Amino acid sequence: MMYILLIAGFILLIKGADYFINGSSNIAKLLRVSPLVIGLTIVAFGTGAPEATVSIIAALEGTADVTIGNVVGSNIMNMSIVIGITAMISQLSVKSSTIKKEIPFTFLASVAFLVLISDRFLQGTSENIITRSDGIILLLFFSIFMYYVIEAARNSRDPVVEDLEGQSGTWGKNIFITVAGLAAIVLGGYLVVESSTDIAISFGMSETLAGLTIVAIGSSLPELITSITAALKKQSEIAIGNIVGSSIFNILFVLGAASLITPLPVDPKIFLDAMVMIALTVLLFRFSRTYSIVGRYEGLTLTVAYVVYLIYIIIRN
C-alpha cells in the first residue's frame, strides 16, 4: 500500500503542477501582468502552503525547533537543489528586476532573520529567541515586499486591451484549474512524504535520519515539481519567481506569524544553517548575474552544494 500511495503522490504532484502552471500563467495573461509577479505571489505562496501549515501547527504545539528548522531547511532546499535540478534540466533565464531587487530582498530577509536570532551576541541575553516583537518586524518587512509586488504588477500591466478571455479561457475556469492543481500538489506532497518515510523506516532507517533526508526532500517536492514544470513550459520567470517568492514568504510571513502565536526559542545549531542559507542566496545572485542565466553547470554546483550540506547535517545529528 505504501508503494501505491508513493506512486499516487508522484502522479498528483506532476499532474497538479501541470494544471497549476497552466492556470496561473493564464491568470497572469488575464490580469495583463508579468508571469514573474504571478510566480512571486500565487505560485510561491501556493507551493509554500505545506511548509507554512507545518510551521504554524508546530508553533501551536510548542515545537519551535520544527518551526525554525522547517523554514531554514526549506529555503536551503529551494536555493540549492530545487534551482539546481531545474537549471540542469532547462537553463533558467533571470530578469534584471529579479537580479537587482527580488534576490537582494531575499538576502535582506535572511540577514534580518540572522540578526533577530542573535540575542545572546547582540544584547547579552541568556538565550536566543524570536519574540512577538521580532515577529511583527518580520511581518512589516513582508508587507513592504507585498507593496513592491503590487506596484510591480500595476506598472507591468499591458496597456493593450485584447480579447484575453478568448485566448486564455475564462476567469472561472482558470481559477478552478489553479486551485485544483494546488490541491493536487499539496495532497501529492503529503502522500509522498508519509509513504516514503514509512518505507524508509521499514528498511531500518531511524525516524531522525528519514526526516533529515526523505521528508526534507519530500516537503520541497511541490516547489521542485512546479519549478521543473514551469521551466519545461518555457516559463522561467514563474520558476525563478516561485523559488525567490517562496523563500521570502517562508522567512517573513511564516516565521512572523508563528512567532506571534508563541515566542520561538532558537537552537544554537541553526546559526550555521542560517549562514548556509545566506551563502546560497549570494551564490544564486552571483550565478544570475552571469549573462542573466542560471545554466546547467551552475545548477550542478548548487545541487552538489546541497549534497555536501546534507552529508554534514546527517553526521552532525
Side-chain angles (χ1 to χ4, degrees), residues 101-172:
K101 297 175 183 177
E102 283 97 25
I103 296 178
F105 200 96
T106 308
F107 174 79
L108 174 64
S110 301
V111 172
F113 165 73
L114 184 61
V115 170
L116 292 178
I117 65 174
S118 302
D119 296 328
R120 292 180 65 181
F121 176 73
L122 295 176
Q123 301 183 46
T125 57
S126 59
E127 65 174 340
N128 298 309
I129 187 168
I130 302 178
T131 63
R132 288 188 172 92
S133 298
D134 294 337
I136 292 172
I137 291 172
L138 291 173
L139 290 174
L140 287 173
F141 271 114
F142 183 69
S143 66
I144 293 171
F145 173 70
M146 288 307 300
Y147 175 78
Y148 158 71
V149 170
I150 291 169
E151 283 299 303
R154 289 177 57 189
N155 295 331
S156 67
R157 295 193 73 178
D158 187 352
V160 179
V161 178
E162 301 175 359
D163 181 18
L164 294 170
E165 286 207 359
Q167 298 174 23
S168 305
T170 63
W171 276 99

Side-chain angles (χ1 to χ4, degrees), residues 3-19:
Y3 288 102
I4 293 172
L5 290 176
L6 182 63
I7 294 170
F10 275 117
I11 292 172
L12 283 171
L13 274 173
I14 294 167
K15 293 305 295 180
D18 190 41
Y19 285 117

Side-chain angles (χ1 to χ4, degrees), residues 4-69:
I4 293 172
L5 290 176
L6 182 63
I7 294 170
F10 275 117
I11 292 172
L12 283 171
L13 274 173
I14 294 167
K15 293 305 295 180
D18 190 41
Y19 285 117
F20 188 52
I21 293 300
N22 284 339
S24 57
S25 61
N26 283 337
I27 287 173
K29 292 176 184 176
L30 290 169
L31 288 170
R32 306 199 309 276
V33 299
S34 164
L36 175 62
V37 173
I38 298 299
L40 285 167
T41 53
I42 296 174
V43 178
F45 302 164
T47 56
E51 286 95 336
T53 303
V54 169
S55 293
I56 291 173
I57 289 174
L60 288 168
E61 294 177 348
T63 52
D65 288 348
V66 175
T67 301
I68 299 173

Side-chain angles (χ1 to χ4, degrees), residues 12-313:
L12 283 171
L13 274 173
I14 294 167
K15 293 305 295 180
D18 190 41
Y19 285 117
F20 188 52
I21 293 300
N22 284 339
S24 57
S25 61
N26 283 337
I27 287 173
K29 292 176 184 176
L30 290 169
L31 288 170
R32 306 199 309 276
V33 299
S34 164
L36 175 62
V37 173
I38 298 299
L40 285 167
T41 53
I42 296 174
V43 178
F45 302 164
T47 56
E51 286 95 336
T53 303
V54 169
S55 293
I56 291 173
I57 289 174
L60 288 168
E61 294 177 348
T63 52
D65 288 348
V66 175
T67 301
I68 299 173
N70 181 48
V71 167
V72 175
S74 177
N75 280 15
I76 289 173
M77 279 282 299
N78 285 345
M79 292 293 175
S80 56
I81 202 164
V82 174
I83 285 185
I85 291 178
T86 305
M88 284 193 292
I89 292 173
S90 177
Q91 67 178 19
L92 299 173
S93 299
V94 187
K95 289 191 69 174
S96 61
S97 65
T98 302
I99 299 171
K100 295 177 181 178
K101 297 175 183 177
E102 283 97 25
I103 296 178
F105 200 96
T106 308
F107 174 79
L108 174 64
S110 301
V111 172
F113 165 73
L114 184 61
V115 170
L116 292 178
I117 65 174
S118 302
D119 296 328
R120 292 180 65 181
F121 176 73
L122 295 176
Q123 301 183 46
T125 57
S126 59
E127 65 174 340
N128 298 309
I129 187 168
I130 302 178
T131 63
R132 288 188 172 92
S133 298
D134 294 337
I136 292 172
I137 291 172
L138 291 173
L139 290 174
L140 287 173
F141 271 114
F142 183 69
S143 66
I144 293 171
F145 173 70
M146 288 307 300
Y147 175 78
Y148 158 71
V149 170
I150 291 169
E151 283 299 303
R154 289 177 57 189
N155 295 331
S156 67
R157 295 193 73 178
D158 187 352
V160 179
V161 178
E162 301 175 359
D163 181 18
L164 294 170
E165 286 207 359
Q167 298 174 23
S168 305
T170 63
W171 276 99
K173 176 184 176 182
N174 285 307
I175 290 172
F176 173 77
I177 289 173
T178 303
V179 172
L182 175 59
I185 289 170
V186 173
L187 178 59
Y190 172 79
L191 289 176
V192 168
V193 170
E194 292 297 313
S195 57
S196 60
T197 303
D198 289 342
I199 291 169
I201 293 173
S202 71
F203 276 102
M205 292 176 67
S206 68
E207 288 189 16
T208 302
L209 185 56
L212 287 169
T213 54
I214 294 174
V215 177
I217 294 170
S219 63
S220 290
L221 278 176
E223 284 94 339
L224 178 60
I225 299 298
T226 301
S227 293
I228 290 174
T229 304
L232 290 174
K233 290 177 176 289
K234 307 303 179 185
Q235 296 280 358
S236 291
E237 292 180 43
I238 289 181
I240 290 289
N242 172 35
I243 299 307
V244 174
S246 180
S247 298
I248 293 171
F249 176 76
N250 284 342
I251 295 175
L252 300 182
F253 179 79
V254 175
L255 278 182
S259 60
L260 280 184
I261 295 170
T262 180
L264 305 173
V266 179
D267 186 335
K269 291 180 180 178
I270 208 70
F271 281 89
L272 182 57
D273 302 304
M275 294 301 295
V276 170
M277 177 176 68
I278 292 171
L280 286 169
T281 306
V282 173
L283 192 60
L284 175 62
F285 176 76
R286 176 68 183 83
F287 287 161
S288 299
R289 285 178 60 87
T290 308
Y291 306 112
S292 297
I293 287 174
V294 179
R296 290 180 171 83
Y297 289 114
E298 287 92 343
L300 178 62
T301 301
L302 291 169
T303 303
V304 170
Y306 180 76
V307 172
V308 171
Y309 168 75
L310 188 62
I311 292 170
Y312 163 74
I313 60 171

